Amino acid sequence: MVGSDSNSQGSCSPAPSLQTKESLAVVLSKAVTMPGVLQECPRCPAEASKNQAEITLQSNAIKLTGEKIPGQDLAQQEQKVRRNEEDEKVLKVADVKKTFEKHKSAEGKAAAPPPNPVRKDTMRRVVRQSKFRHVFGQAVKNDQCYDDIRVSRVTWDSSFCAVNPKFVAIIVEASGGGAFLVLPLHKTGRIDKSYPTVCGHTGPVLDIDWCPHNDQVIASGSEDCTVMVWQIAENGLTLSLTEPVVVLEGHSKRVGIVAWHPTARNVLLSAGCDNVVIIWNVGTGEPLINLDDMHSDMIYNVSWNRNGSLICTASKDKKVRVIDPRKQEIVAEKDKAHEGARPMRAIFLSDGNIFTTGFSRMSERQLALWNPKNMEEPIALHEMDTSNGVLLPFYDPDTNIIYLCGKGDSSIRYFEITDESPYVHYLNTFSSKEPQRGMGFMPKRGLDVNKCEIARFFKLHERKCEPIIMTVPRKSDLFQDDLYPDTAGPEAALEAEEWFEGKNADPILISLKHGYIPGKNRDLKVVKKNILDNKPAANKKSDLITAPKKAVDTSNIQNEAKLDEILKELKSIKDTISNQDERISKLEQQMAKIAN
């Protein structure tokens, strides 16, 4: 075969050497192989294969003919042919790869199932639409804080602060008893150490709560086992207040919780370390309901529901209980709502569900949402962090936002409660440098609606109280109806005797469109009337309902006590004035001598 090839080529051109023939044969075999690959590939078009084959055969024919390029020897021709071969090979492989990938992607698109609409919807909801998503907190400037306040160091997990549209009350350190400050909201800056306090308790004050129906009435619970109700002057205190309007005695151990009824006038709840819950008629100073056999261990907190028909309690025995106080029965109960040993909190939401905070067995802080009709499993349960400060929940029923303030934390986390899973939606966190000793929460009617303010906190530091304002950013200056639905006003929906007889009523709502204008508050002693004389006992089950004391007698005694106090004070002032007069005359005589 080799000889016949050389004979056939001899007529055209000189026969190439054996080495050249072998190299050309290798090139030819490679070139012939490539079109085969192209033809075998099922994903390559037939036209491309045919063209590639023709190009390869033509180039091979040129090589076999051994045509000589003028001005170049055979070695240069071979080198050029080899270089051309390599370039063609690279191009062909790239074309094959590109064509293969194109077909593969086309097949992949055809084989892929249509997009899952549920998954797409879920991905879209990663950023949840909410008008409160951009709520931000901002602390006020230093000159708007209340400075030089010695905040109480009592080891009790209450908020130590209570706020209403007129006053801020703060439990403070006091020697020889318990005391708390009552400051008008506008009295910012440094508070003098001699500023008058409310100091009638003989033991440290543990909890305070403003009456929702009278901005000048506040209740306090103390380690001296009593609850006291105080009437604050309209413009604040000018002298220290030592005489309460009424003293409520009935607990055998310290009283750590006081909470006013949300809709009935003069109904106050107290709970103590004797594991007893007492509900009082403040107007008569009588305990009308005593829940003394429902808790086997210390009560951490008590919360009324929206209309005040039920209460929920969190206890050291790790149980959350829903109680009907007038029937004196437990409606629902959950054992080990949070398995950790540290204190829990439980509050009612406006829809009747219960929100709790507590600790897991591994001491992680948790929050949970429960349906009182079925408390086997929580609606939602979230773990937060491993800090050991007790989480104090503050709830805004108008916006359904819960603010969590941990004692010893330097942050406020806030969540929105909705009907959509996961039900408790994290919104944001306000962080600052200083840890908080306690926290006060302003009612909605005390906020500035012109600045889109939806919450205001009064954060207690070691030596000062710092207001923190939560705002929804809006461009318009108009009233924002969606941020400020009608809210609970200061008017009571029921009188005390109506509630004890079994009536329920939702809060009387007011609009904040033109801002809240506080009205004239009635004095507690005017409201204090003996309404149970002419009516049957409200709760026949309770052995505590007895003929109440005469309101007139009580008021007379109180008036006489006040009169004595005023006379004593007048006498002391007169004595001081006479002493000062003597001192002035002596100094004048000395001046006269020096002048002479």
Side-chain angles (χ1 to χ4, degrees), residues 207-211 217-221 227-230 258 260 268:
D207 197 19
I208 50 177
D209 192 30
W210 286 104
C211 177
V217 174
I218 187 169
S220 59
V227 176
M228 294 184 180
V229 180
W230 311 83
V258 287
W260 290 92
L268 177 67

Side-chain angles (χ1 to χ4, degrees), residues 56-92:
T56 308
L57 288 171
Q58 285 173 9
S59 63
N60 289 337
I62 292 166
K63 292 170 208 166
L64 288 171
T65 52
E67 286 180 2
K68 214 173 185 184
I69 298 169
Q72 290 182 342
D73 59 4
L74 189 59
Q76 287 177 331
Q77 286 183 44
E78 282 181 27
Q79 192 175 0
K80 192 170 182 178
V81 169
R82 199 177 294 118
R83 197 159 46 242
N84 290 339
E85 288 283 348
E86 288 173 0
D87 291 344
E88 282 180 13
K89 184 178 177 183
V90 170
L91 286 171
K92 288 169 191 171

Side-chain angles (χ1 to χ4, degrees), residues 162-169 180 182-184 198 209-220 228-237 241 243-246 260 265-266 282 443 445 490 516 518-527 562:
V163 192
N164 69 15
K166 281 190 174 182
F167 301 105
V168 53
F180 58 93
V182 175
L183 302 169
V198 180
D209 192 30
W210 286 104
C211 177
H213 311 122
N214 190 332
D215 288 340
Q216 290 168 225
V217 174
I218 187 169
S220 59
M228 294 184 180
V229 180
W230 311 83
Q231 176 108 26
I232 309 298
E234 190 167 352
N235 297 319
L237 299 177
L241 189 59
E243 290 296 323
V245 176
V246 64
W260 290 92
R265 193 190 315 277
N266 288 346
V282 175
R445 56 197 172 92
Y516 170 67
K520 178 76 175 169
N521 286 301
R522 295 186 286 177
D523 287 344
L524 186 56
K525 63 182 180 184
V526 176
V527 178
K562 283 186 178 177

